[in-house]
Amino acid sequence: MRVMKGLLGLLLALPLLASAEEIGQVSTVFKFVGPNDRIVVEAFDDPKVDGVTCYLSRAKTGGVKGGLGLAEDRAEASIACRQVGPIRLKGELKDGDEVFKERTSLVFKTMQVVRFLDKKRNTLVYLVYSDRLIEGSPQNAVTAIPILPWPTAQ
């Protein structure tokens, strides 16, 4: 019963995470069999903050394992978030809220983006990092967006 409640809670929380749209990719290593290793650029909108889009670039492993979804992607990533419209907060924001999460290995490794609100500077801060069930990676990237009025068309 407890497991069922946990799974139900997880399924209800899934729509609160952003899903990424691929913007483009470049090949970095040619593979004879399977897709090439590449760097992928993806965009996602913050589900709790209207007017903010984040761009994430990260490595995707190719080859046979990568083509089958069995390869482990590297931990490095870069992020740039931008104000793309009027910023409107949808409810209360909690520091460290998970905005985006994607599996980067078959089971134990994920890449995630979390958000912080720097109230003193009126700024949204986004952090991307990779973690593993046993041991995470200290590699990370951060970006910040000051919450400014959005100019209206005249």
Side-chain angles (χ1 to χ4, degrees):
M1 186 67 169
R2 188 180 257 176
V3 172
M4 291 298 287
K5 285 182 181 179
L7 287 174
L8 181 60
L10 179 64
L11 289 174
L12 292 174
L14 284 178
L16 299 177
L17 294 179
S19 60
E21 167 191 351
E22 186 174 309
I23 301 299
Q25 60 178 289
V26 294
S27 178
T28 58
V29 176
F30 174 76
K31 299 287 186 173
F32 283 104
V33 180
N36 292 342
D37 289 354
R38 58 201 185 283
I39 298 172
V40 177
V41 177
E42 299 169 314
F44 62 89
D45 297 325
D46 187 328
K48 285 192 170 182
V49 181
D50 284 340
V52 172
T53 298
C54 294
Y55 297 89
L56 184 67
S57 70
R58 59 195 184 93
K60 301 247 337 184
T61 304
V64 174
K65 284 184 175 182
L68 295 173
L70 302 174
E72 183 172 310
D73 294 333
R74 297 180 59 120
E76 297 91 355
S78 178
I79 189 168
C81 297
R82 298 294 181 258
Q83 182 175 359
V84 294
I87 291 181
R88 289 188 198 94
L89 307 180
K90 299 176 185 176
E92 185 180 335
L93 301 182
K94 296 178 185 159
D95 279 346
D97 267 351
E98 194 172 89
V99 179
F100 175 82
K101 185 174 189 174
E102 189 162 298
R103 181 181 57 82
T104 54
S105 77
L106 184 59
V107 181
F108 301 115
K109 190 175 178 184
T110 61
M111 179 163 296
Q112 40 200 321
V113 176
V114 294
R115 175 194 341 93
F116 299 91
L117 176 60
D118 180 351
K119 291 181 183 178
K120 179 178 176 183
R121 293 165 191 84
N122 201 33
T123 300
L124 294 165
V125 180
Y126 293 85
L127 170 72
V128 62
Y129 68 98
S130 181
D131 69 355
R132 217 184 259 184
L133 187 61
I134 304 297
E135 177 184 335
S137 170
Q139 295 177 357
N140 63 83
V142 68
T143 186
I145 303 171
I147 300 173
L148 300 172
W150 189 254
T152 58
Q154 295 183 5

